[in-house]
Coordinates of all heavy atoms in Angstrom, one line a residue:
V8 N -23.9 63.2 9.8 CA -24.8 64.4 10.0 C -24.1 65.7 9.6 O -24.7 66.5 8.9 CB -25.3 64.4 11.4 CG1 -26.2 65.6 11.6 CG2 -26.0 63.1 11.8
A9 N -22.8 65.8 9.9 CA -22.1 67.0 9.6 C -21.9 67.2 8.1 O -22.0 68.3 7.6 CB -20.7 66.9 10.3
R10 N -21.8 66.1 7.4 CA -21.6 66.1 5.9 C -22.9 66.7 5.3 O -22.9 67.5 4.4 CB -21.3 64.8 5.4 CG -21.4 64.6 3.8 CD -20.0 65.0 3.2 NE -20.1 64.9 1.8 CZ -19.1 64.3 1.0 NH1 -18.1 63.8 1.6 NH2 -19.2 64.3 -0.3
R11 N -24.1 66.2 5.8 CA -25.3 66.6 5.2 C -25.7 68.0 5.5 O -26.4 68.7 4.8 CB -26.4 65.6 5.7 CG -26.2 64.2 5.1 CD -27.1 63.2 5.8 NE -26.8 61.9 5.3 CZ -27.2 60.7 5.8 NH1 -27.8 60.8 7.0 NH2 -26.9 59.6 5.3
D12 N -25.3 68.5 6.7 CA -25.6 69.8 7.1 C -24.4 70.7 6.8 O -23.5 70.8 7.5 CB -25.9 69.9 8.6 CG -26.4 71.3 9.0 OD1 -26.2 72.2 8.3 OD2 -27.0 71.4 10.1
Q13 N -24.4 71.3 5.6 CA -23.2 72.1 5.1 C -23.0 73.3 6.0 O -21.9 73.9 5.9 CB -23.4 72.5 3.6 CG -23.5 71.3 2.7 CD -23.6 71.7 1.3 OE1 -23.3 72.8 0.9 NE2 -24.1 70.7 0.4
R14 N -23.9 73.7 6.8 CA -23.7 74.9 7.7 C -22.8 74.5 8.8 O -22.3 75.3 9.6 CB -25.0 75.4 8.2 CG -25.9 76.0 7.1 CD -27.3 76.2 7.6 NE -27.8 75.0 8.1 CZ -29.0 74.9 8.9 NH1 -29.6 76.0 9.2 NH2 -29.4 73.8 9.3
G15 N -22.6 73.1 9.0 CA -21.8 72.7 10.2 C -22.6 72.6 11.5 O -22.0 72.5 12.5
V16 N -23.9 72.7 11.4 CA -24.7 72.7 12.6 C -25.3 71.3 12.8 O -26.0 70.8 11.9 CB -25.9 73.7 12.5 CG1 -26.7 73.6 13.8 CG2 -25.4 75.1 12.3
L17 N -24.9 70.6 13.9 CA -25.4 69.2 14.1 C -26.7 69.2 14.8 O -26.9 69.8 15.8 CB -24.4 68.5 15.0 CG -23.0 68.3 14.4 CD1 -22.1 67.5 15.3 CD2 -23.0 67.6 13.0
G18 N -27.7 68.5 14.1 CA -29.0 68.3 14.7 C -29.0 67.0 15.5 O -28.0 66.4 15.8
T19 N -30.2 66.6 16.0 CA -30.3 65.4 16.7 C -30.2 64.2 15.8 O -30.9 64.2 14.8 CB -31.7 65.4 17.4 OG1 -31.8 66.5 18.3 CG2 -31.8 64.1 18.3
L20 N -29.3 63.3 16.1 CA -29.1 62.1 15.3 C -30.1 61.0 15.7 O -30.0 60.5 16.7 CB -27.7 61.6 15.4 CG -27.3 60.4 14.5 CD1 -27.4 60.8 13.1 CD2 -25.9 59.9 14.8
L21 N -31.0 60.8 14.8 CA -32.0 59.7 15.1 C -31.7 58.5 14.3 O -31.2 58.5 13.2 CB -33.4 60.2 14.6 CG -33.9 61.5 15.3 CD1 -35.3 61.9 14.7 CD2 -34.1 61.3 16.8
P22 N -31.8 57.3 14.9 CA -31.5 56.1 14.3 C -32.1 55.9 12.9 O -31.4 55.4 12.0 CB -31.9 55.0 15.3 CG -32.0 55.6 16.6 CD -32.4 57.1 16.3
Q23 N -33.3 56.3 12.7 CA -34.0 56.1 11.4 C -33.4 57.0 10.3 O -33.8 56.8 9.2 CB -35.5 56.3 11.5 CG -35.9 57.7 12.0 CD -36.1 57.8 13.5 OE1 -35.4 57.1 14.2 NE2 -37.0 58.7 13.9
R24 N -32.6 57.9 10.6 CA -32.0 58.8 9.6 C -30.8 58.1 8.9 O -30.3 58.5 7.9 CB -31.5 60.1 10.2 CG -32.6 60.9 10.8 CD -32.1 62.2 11.3 NE -31.4 63.1 10.3 CZ -30.9 64.3 10.6 NH1 -31.0 64.8 11.8 NH2 -30.4 65.0 9.6
L25 N -30.4 56.9 9.4 CA -29.3 56.2 8.8 C -29.8 55.1 7.9 O -30.6 54.2 8.4 CB -28.4 55.6 9.9 CG -27.6 56.6 10.8 CD1 -26.8 55.8 11.8 CD2 -26.7 57.5 9.9
S26 N -29.4 55.1 6.7 CA -29.7 54.0 5.8 C -28.7 52.8 6.0 O -27.8 52.9 6.7 CB -29.6 54.5 4.4 OG -28.3 54.8 4.0
D27 N -29.0 51.7 5.3 CA -28.1 50.6 5.4 C -26.7 51.0 4.8 O -25.7 50.5 5.4 CB -28.7 49.4 4.6 CG -29.9 48.8 5.3 OD1 -30.1 49.0 6.5 OD2 -30.7 48.1 4.6
G28 N -26.7 51.8 3.8 CA -25.5 52.3 3.2 C -24.7 53.1 4.2 O -23.5 53.0 4.3
D29 N -25.4 54.0 5.0 CA -24.8 54.8 6.0 C -24.1 53.9 7.1 O -23.0 54.1 7.5 CB -25.8 55.7 6.7 CG -26.3 56.8 5.8 OD1 -25.6 57.2 4.8 OD2 -27.4 57.3 6.0
R30 N -24.8 52.9 7.5 CA -24.3 52.0 8.6 C -23.1 51.3 8.0 O -22.1 51.0 8.8 CB -25.4 51.1 9.0 CG -26.5 51.7 9.8 CD -27.5 50.7 10.4 NE -28.5 51.4 11.1 CZ -29.7 51.8 10.6 NH1 -29.9 51.6 9.4 NH2 -30.5 52.5 11.4
E31 N -23.1 50.9 6.8 CA -21.9 50.3 6.2 C -20.7 51.2 6.1 O -19.6 50.8 6.4 CB -22.3 49.8 4.8 CG -21.1 49.0 4.1 CD -21.5 48.5 2.7 OE1 -22.7 48.6 2.4 OE2 -20.6 48.0 2.0
R32 N -21.0 52.5 5.8 CA -19.9 53.4 5.8 C -19.3 53.7 7.2 O -18.1 53.8 7.4 CB -20.4 54.7 5.2 CG -20.7 54.6 3.7 CD -21.4 55.8 3.2 NE -20.7 57.1 3.2 CZ -21.2 58.2 2.9 NH1 -22.5 58.3 2.6 NH2 -20.5 59.3 3.0
V33 N -20.2 53.7 8.2 CA -19.7 53.8 9.6 C -18.8 52.7 10.0 O -17.7 52.8 10.5 CB -20.9 54.0 10.5 CG1 -20.4 53.9 12.0 CG2 -21.6 55.3 10.3
M34 N -19.2 51.5 9.6 CA -18.5 50.3 10.0 C -17.1 50.3 9.2 O -16.1 49.9 9.8 CB -19.2 49.0 9.6 CG -18.5 47.7 10.0 SD -18.0 47.6 11.7 CE -19.6 47.6 12.5

């Protein structure tokens, strides 16, 4: 979330915002 928001402001992290690729990167 921090990477996508270049202002450095973290919004609410919703599960549907993560793609399969995102989950793979987290793992």
Side-chain angles (χ1 to χ4, degrees):
V8 181
R10 171 88 180 226
R11 290 167 184 166
D12 188 344
Q13 296 184 19
R14 297 168 299 170
V16 179
L17 296 182
T19 301
L20 182 63
L21 301 176
Q23 60 266 32
R24 295 181 64 177
L25 293 180
S26 66
D27 291 341
D29 290 335
R30 292 186 177 90
E31 183 177 351
R32 290 166 66 184
V33 169
M34 182 55 64

